Amino acid sequence: MKNKHVLRFTVVALFLISATSLNYFEIHKQLDIFSHIFKEINLYYVDETDPAKLMDKAIQSMLSSLDPYTTYIKESEIENFRIQTTGQYGGIGASIRKREDYVMVVSVYKDAPADKAGVRPGDLLLAIDDKSLKGFSDSEVSALLKGSPGTQFTLKVQRGDRILDLKINREEIQLKAVPYCGYVAPGIGYINLTNFTDKASKEIKDALTDLQKNADLKGVILDLRGNPGGLLSEAINVSNIFIPKGQEIVSTRGKIKEWERSYRTLDNPVNTDVPLVVLINRGSASASEIVSGAVQDLDRGVVIGQRSFGKGLVQQTRKLSYGAQLKVTVSKYYTPSGRCIQAINYSQRNEDGSVSSIADSLRRSFTTRNGRTVYDGGGIDPDIVTEPRRFSPILSALIQNNLIFDWVTLFVDKKGRDKIDVNFRLSDNEWTAFKNWLKDKEVSYQTRTEKLLSEIVETTKDEQYFVEIENELNKLKKRFQRSKEDDVEKNKQEIVRYLEEEIVSRAQYQEGRIQKSLTADHDVAEAIRVLTHPDEYRKILNP
């Protein structure tokens, strides 16, 4: 019997060694073929080639066949990658975007160098130290604005009809992971977390500590909507603030068994008793899903909003030669109930190379600590589903064509930033002024009704009915066009709300915009309702 076991072990070992040898042989073989092709093309191709560009395309093509998160980071891009994980860089503290021939300032961070120097949203960046920025992309201008803290430069901007020269000293910029926290109702605290940078958990802990200074804290709303994720370690640490020490938050499993791990809370929590609501939506991904998944699986709180993105893949950064790095997917993560929320299986592609989400019918069920049913394979499903905020076609057009941005720039410049606080309300006269300003502006957009009407026209042409009903269709289009002219007034409430948020952001920065938006936030209102009805809160967690 013993000899049989030895023989079986020997056969298995030889098989594994043989398989590994074959794998290494195949890798060596393909690398040899590729290097020969690369050499032959660079030597003999009819036109001059750029070896760096050829190699970059080859790498990008290879990685694109895997998943969107396995990426090659060139040495020139390392600084931007570091900023994503730390939220820290040397620069002026402003966000920008392309506007015709130049780049325009979209927002500035409070007390950052740009703010201190008097840079304002709407400014066109004309030159840096007499170097013209005409034709530069936003990424090129961003690279020029960044630099070592303490260095100085002169920024030439155009503000309306004025040309200004502003002297700016670069500083170390630390983007806040928690741009706002405060009370949204009596006893109900609110914390907004935008990213899982290396200081996210500290900022959440500080925010919760501040909220707890009010002895009447009855509930906390943790807003992870639009949060794309970040560091896995910070997802654990943020969870640990609300979840007891020693609890599994997430586990990872991949091809390399030695890397499989179970991540547990290591510290004493700040508060495990306060009722908790986590807000998520389609923009909540990765670390956001780890936190919301753990809160849901451990029945620590109620999740409200819309189904999350569904990114259950873990990346690890591997150093390469010449300062480059590879961010490679090494494992999948699993929430405490055992589910993987990854929505797309990139290893199973369609014949055309496309990938599909996992069908709801194929999602497997799991149970939370209290026995509630949850599902894998498609993000985190909220305990209470709400409708997402959707813009009407007219508001979307006004935003996309920079018309709201431009009018607010003029409005704030005339009114004065010192006269605007988070309680600002647009008056009827100011609304009329906005509509009058729009009259000579072109606003082009297509409503859902117009899209359907266009489809009907095309269908009738294909089926040869168009001639018979052409007059009726044209009359309908004209009648609808007249109705469309009134869309601004019809959607007044929605447009005014957005105008007020934009106006407040110019004087009160990102913190003010968030605070203003909360006054008409349906998800937040639902969270407040649940937290102020303890019986309903308990019933959701204990069915």
Side-chain angles (χ1 to χ4, degrees), residues 492-503:
K492 176 182 176 179
Q493 184 178 0
E494 178 192 35
I495 296 171
V496 165
R497 175 186 170 187
Y498 192 89
L499 281 168
E500 290 174 348
E501 290 174 15
E502 183 67 29
I503 290 168

Side-chain angles (χ1 to χ4, degrees), residues 499-533:
L499 281 168
E500 290 174 348
E501 290 174 15
E502 183 67 29
I503 290 168
V504 168
S505 74
R506 302 298 178 90
Q508 304 298 326
Y509 307 92
Q510 184 187 16
E511 179 180 347
R513 180 191 281 275
I514 294 170
Q515 196 172 354
K516 183 66 177 177
S517 69
L518 295 177
T519 58
D521 191 314
H522 298 303
D523 290 355
V524 171
E526 180 64 12
I528 293 170
R529 188 190 67 79
V530 170
L531 289 171
T532 51
H533 290 79

Side-chain angles (χ1 to χ4, degrees), residues 85-244:
T85 56
T86 65
Q88 191 173 339
Y89 66 97
I92 69 169
S95 57
I96 57 177
R97 71 165 173 251
K98 187 74 174 175
R99 183 77 181 266
E100 297 176 350
D101 290 337
Y102 291 95
V103 166
M104 176 182 70
V105 176
V106 177
S107 64
V108 296
Y109 307 130
K110 185 178 181 180
D111 297 329
D115 188 33
K116 294 174 184 175
V119 177
R120 296 289 174 258
D123 288 352
L124 286 179
L125 307 187
L126 303 181
I128 293 177
D129 286 336
D130 296 325
K131 178 183 178 70
S132 174
L133 299 177
K134 186 175 182 179
F136 279 49
S137 68
D138 48 7
S139 59
E140 290 171 329
V141 173
S142 178
L144 291 171
L145 292 173
K146 291 171 185 170
S148 301
T151 54
Q152 187 183 77
F153 66 96
T154 300
L155 183 66
K156 187 185 292 291
V157 305
Q158 180 177 338
R159 185 177 301 162
D161 298 328
R162 294 169 287 170
I163 303 295
L164 306 172
D165 287 321
L166 306 174
K167 289 194 179 297
I168 302 181
N169 288 300
R170 294 184 181 92
E171 295 177 13
E172 189 174 274
I173 307 298
Q174 177 66 56
L175 301 180
K176 285 187 176 181
V178 177
Y180 175 73
C181 79
Y183 276 85
V184 289
I188 306 301
Y190 170 90
I191 304 173
N192 184 292
L193 181 65
T194 60
N195 229 311
F196 285 82
T197 60
D198 60 355
K199 294 180 177 61
S201 58
K202 181 184 182 303
E203 292 186 36
I204 290 281
K205 189 178 293 185
D206 291 343
L208 183 57
T209 302
D210 284 343
L211 291 174
Q212 288 182 151
K213 289 176 182 177
N214 181 343
D216 195 32
L217 182 64
K218 297 175 182 174
V220 172
I221 302 169
L222 177 60
D223 193 347
L224 300 181
R225 291 175 299 177
N227 186 321
L231 298 174
L232 173 63
S233 59
E234 283 302 289
I236 314 302
N237 294 336
V238 168
S239 302
N240 197 173
I241 292 169
F242 301 98
I243 293 172

Side-chain angles (χ1 to χ4, degrees), residues 141-430:
V141 173
S142 178
L144 291 171
L145 292 173
K146 291 171 185 170
S148 301
T151 54
Q152 187 183 77
F153 66 96
T154 300
L155 183 66
K156 187 185 292 291
V157 305
Q158 180 177 338
R159 185 177 301 162
D161 298 328
R162 294 169 287 170
I163 303 295
L164 306 172
D165 287 321
L166 306 174
K167 289 194 179 297
I168 302 181
N169 288 300
R170 294 184 181 92
E171 295 177 13
E172 189 174 274
I173 307 298
Q174 177 66 56
L175 301 180
K176 285 187 176 181
V178 177
Y180 175 73
C181 79
Y183 276 85
V184 289
I188 306 301
Y190 170 90
I191 304 173
N192 184 292
L193 181 65
T194 60
N195 229 311
F196 285 82
T197 60
D198 60 355
K199 294 180 177 61
S201 58
K202 181 184 182 303
E203 292 186 36
I204 290 281
K205 189 178 293 185
D206 291 343
L208 183 57
T209 302
D210 284 343
L211 291 174
Q212 288 182 151
K213 289 176 182 177
N214 181 343
D216 195 32
L217 182 64
K218 297 175 182 174
V220 172
I221 302 169
L222 177 60
D223 193 347
L224 300 181
R225 291 175 299 177
N227 186 321
L231 298 174
L232 173 63
S233 59
E234 283 302 289
I236 314 302
N237 294 336
V238 168
S239 302
N240 197 173
I241 292 169
F242 301 98
I243 293 172
K245 182 178 180 179
Q247 295 291 321
E248 182 180 83
I249 300 300
V250 67
S251 60
T252 58
R253 305 173 208 163
K255 183 168 66 175
I256 301 177
K257 299 300 178 185
E258 291 82 359
W259 288 0
E260 292 185 357
R261 286 192 60 185
S262 171
Y263 295 86
R264 295 179 177 273
T265 49
L266 299 175
D267 301 316
N268 292 320
V270 176
N271 194 321
T272 59
D273 299 321
V274 65
L276 175 67
V277 165
V278 178
L279 300 182
I280 60 172
N281 63 8
R282 286 296 298 168
S284 307
S286 190
S288 292
E289 294 172 300
I290 290 175
V291 173
S292 53
V295 167
Q296 189 176 59
D297 284 3
L298 298 174
D299 294 304
R300 173 60 185 87
V302 175
V303 179
I304 294 177
Q306 301 89 49
R307 184 188 289 185
S308 64
F309 184 80
K311 180 183 180 290
L313 304 177
V314 181
Q315 284 72 49
Q316 189 178 94
T317 304
R318 311 290 296 176
K319 289 186 178 180
L320 306 175
S321 53
Y322 300 101
Q325 293 185 21
L326 175 68
K327 184 158 71 81
V328 57
T329 299
V330 295
S331 58
K332 294 179 180 179
Y333 72 73
Y334 297 79
T335 64
S337 67
R339 55 180 169 152
C340 179
I341 54 83
Q342 176 62 26
I344 298 174
N345 187 349
Y346 291 101
S347 64
Q348 295 181 2
R349 292 180 177 267
N350 302 321
E351 290 185 5
D352 60 357
S354 63
V355 290
S356 304
S357 296
I358 297 171
D360 284 350
S361 59
L362 298 178
R363 299 177 69 191
R364 297 178 301 161
S365 64
F366 295 79
T367 55
T368 68
R369 176 172 287 175
N370 291 345
R372 297 187 296 146
T373 302
V374 290
Y375 295 90
D376 71 353
I380 302 296
D381 290 304
D383 301 311
I384 298 177
V385 178
T386 59
E387 284 296 317
R389 182 183 181 183
R390 289 192 176 95
F391 293 152
S392 63
I394 178 63
L395 177 56
S396 296
L398 292 173
I399 295 170
Q400 290 166 8
N401 290 294
N402 289 311
L403 293 172
I404 282 185
F405 187 92
D406 290 347
W407 185 80
V408 168
T409 300
L410 296 171
F411 176 84
V412 173
D413 192 44
K414 183 178 179 180
K415 188 175 184 69
R417 297 168 73 234
D418 58 323
K419 296 179 181 177
I420 300 168
D421 61 20
V422 293
N423 298 313
F424 171 81
R425 299 294 297 273
L426 199 72
S427 69
D428 290 339
N429 288 338
E430 289 164 344

